[in-house]
Amino acid sequence: MEKTKFNQNQSVFKVGELPDKMYLLVKGSVGIFLPTNETNKPNFIIQENELFGEMGVIENELRMATARCLVESEIISITKDEFDKRVNNSDVFVKGCLKALSYRLRSVEKKM
Amino acid sequence: MEKTKFNQNQSVFKVGELPDKMYLLVKGSVGIFLPTNETNKPNFIIQENELFGEMGVIENELRMATARCLVESEIISITKDEFDKRVNNSDVFVKGCLKALSYRLRSVEKKM
């Protein structure tokens, strides 16, 4: 686990990158910009205490958007390995549901 | 949380019922029978230490199959409220991922 300060306009990750971490916004504001967005207005705004970048890590897919700080921000990041450890230390029902949901999502997405 | 003994051939839940609980098989063996299945051979078999009946609770949909014990079994059950408490007491990243996965699954299923 690592806590990092980001400047305004600094990117946390960019579209197309390999996802190695997921993030928790502790302080500030982060904009999510889809690749088709050429404006300065983000498609989504991450609020304080919100998680972001988690789907790339869970589904092991390249980043589908760019995350850029809208103001100076403080962000905690954890790696996939650290996340897996936290899952393994979780309550048996919580862990089981996380696995069931991932599995279900993958089966549903395969059918699309 | 409740631990219950089930006899061989006893149902844990039946297709069409409202899902009020999720289950962890502690000892024994449970068969999942889809409604189209008129044989005594289950479509899926739940092994010891495996969770079942969780998707109905998470997605709040009627049971899509019947769960019946193939041998005498011991099963722990928890209610939706108990599950929600366990989720709320979980690690912030685990909790966030569970929410993100549920949300993602629902959006994907809406598009199908």
Side-chain angles (χ1 to χ4, degrees):
Chain A
M1 195 174 92
E2 203 180 356
K3 191 170 173 180
T4 314
K5 275 199 179 176
F6 286 79
N7 297 323
Q8 189 179 14
N9 292 324
Q10 195 179 343
S11 294
V12 184
F13 57 77
K14 288 181 181 165
V15 63
E17 287 179 352
L18 264 173
D20 53 347
K21 287 177 181 172
M22 59 179 79
Y23 303 89
L24 176 69
L25 178 62
V26 179
K27 200 163 180 287
S29 180
V30 171
I32 304 294
F33 297 82
L34 297 178
T36 47
N37 183 354
E38 291 177 357
T39 71
N40 275 324
K41 208 174 150 267
N43 298 85
F44 308 99
I45 294 178
I46 306 296
Q47 316 280 351
E48 289 181 3
N49 295 317
E50 222 179 302
L51 219 65
F52 64 102
E54 75 285 359
M55 288 310 301
V57 177
I58 295 175
E59 300 212 66
N60 205 24
E61 281 173 356
L62 299 183
R63 297 292 186 197
M64 291 187 295
T66 292
R68 196 159 65 229
C69 295
L70 304 175
V71 296
E72 197 184 74
S73 300
E74 276 178 42
I75 297 170
I76 288 176
S77 63
I78 64 166
T79 63
K80 174 85 171 93
D81 279 356
E82 283 174 311
F83 176 68
D84 288 342
K85 269 182 211 155
R86 285 165 188 243
V87 171
N88 278 327
N89 291 333
S90 294
D91 175 88
V92 60
F93 284 96
V94 174
K95 181 163 52 175
C97 283
L98 204 57
K99 282 187 188 166
L101 278 172
S102 308
Y103 178 80
R104 176 84 159 247
L105 186 60
R106 239 166 261 150
S107 342
V108 170
E109 285 179 334
K110 261 187 208 158
K111 283 185 202 155
M112 289 183 86
Chain B
M1 196 173 91
E2 204 181 353
K3 192 169 172 179
T4 314
K5 274 199 180 175
F6 287 79
N7 297 323
Q8 189 179 14
N9 291 325
Q10 194 179 345
S11 294
V12 185
F13 56 78
K14 287 181 182 165
V15 64
E17 287 179 352
L18 263 172
D20 53 346
K21 287 178 180 172
M22 59 179 81
Y23 303 89
L24 176 70
L25 178 62
V26 180
K27 200 161 179 287
S29 179
V30 171
I32 304 295
F33 297 82
L34 296 178
T36 48
N37 183 354
E38 290 176 359
T39 71
N40 275 323
K41 211 176 148 262
N43 297 87
F44 308 100
I45 294 177
I46 306 296
Q47 315 281 350
E48 289 182 3
N49 295 316
E50 222 179 301
L51 219 65
F52 64 102
E54 75 285 359
M55 287 312 299
V57 177
I58 295 176
E59 299 211 65
N60 205 26
E61 281 173 354
L62 298 184
R63 297 292 185 197
M64 292 186 295
T66 292
R68 196 160 65 229
C69 295
L70 303 175
V71 296
E72 198 184 73
S73 301
E74 276 178 43
I75 297 170
I76 289 176
S77 64
I78 64 167
T79 62
K80 174 85 171 90
D81 280 356
E82 284 174 310
F83 175 69
D84 288 342
K85 270 182 211 154
R86 284 164 190 243
V87 171
N88 279 327
N89 292 331
S90 294
D91 175 89
V92 60
F93 284 96
V94 174
K95 180 164 50 175
C97 283
L98 204 57
K99 283 186 188 167
L101 278 171
S102 308
Y103 178 80
R104 176 85 159 248
L105 186 61
R106 242 166 257 151
S107 344
V108 170
E109 285 179 334
K110 262 187 207 158
K111 282 186 203 155
M112 287 182 87

